[in-house]
Amino acid sequence: MVTLTDEELGRFVFHPATDVTGPLHDSLRVAARTFAMAIDELVPSGRHRALALTAAQEAAMWANAGIACDTDR
């Protein structure tokens, strides 16, 4: 049987924003929203546009997770 480390189990814990991470999340959201708006404006409707928006959303999610989990508070 494989046993998860404390660090691995930490992935399943809520990481509330702090005075350090909160502004980072805010900045990332602005950048992600700006990118999504560019995709919306420039890419014609269809499968590729939908995939680009999904990938942008996923990238923002992982970036926010990186801020929440890996930033020294």
Side-chain angles (χ1 to χ4, degrees):
M1 179 170 87
V2 176
T3 303
L4 296 174
T5 66
D6 287 341
E7 181 178 344
E8 291 168 323
L9 288 172
R11 296 176 190 157
F12 301 96
V13 175
F14 177 67
H15 300 277
T18 66
D19 291 340
V20 173
T21 62
L24 300 174
H25 288 298
D26 293 341
S27 293
L28 185 67
R29 281 189 205 96
V30 169
R33 182 179 170 89
T34 300
F35 184 53
M37 289 173 15
I39 292 169
D40 184 50
E41 179 183 331
L42 301 171
V43 181
S45 293
R47 179 174 181 267
H48 293 104
R49 179 179 177 271
L51 288 169
L53 288 168
T54 298
Q57 182 180 9
E58 182 180 14
M61 179 202 63
W62 285 117
N64 272 310
I67 291 168
C69 297
D70 302 330
T71 300
D72 292 331
R73 301 176 219 315

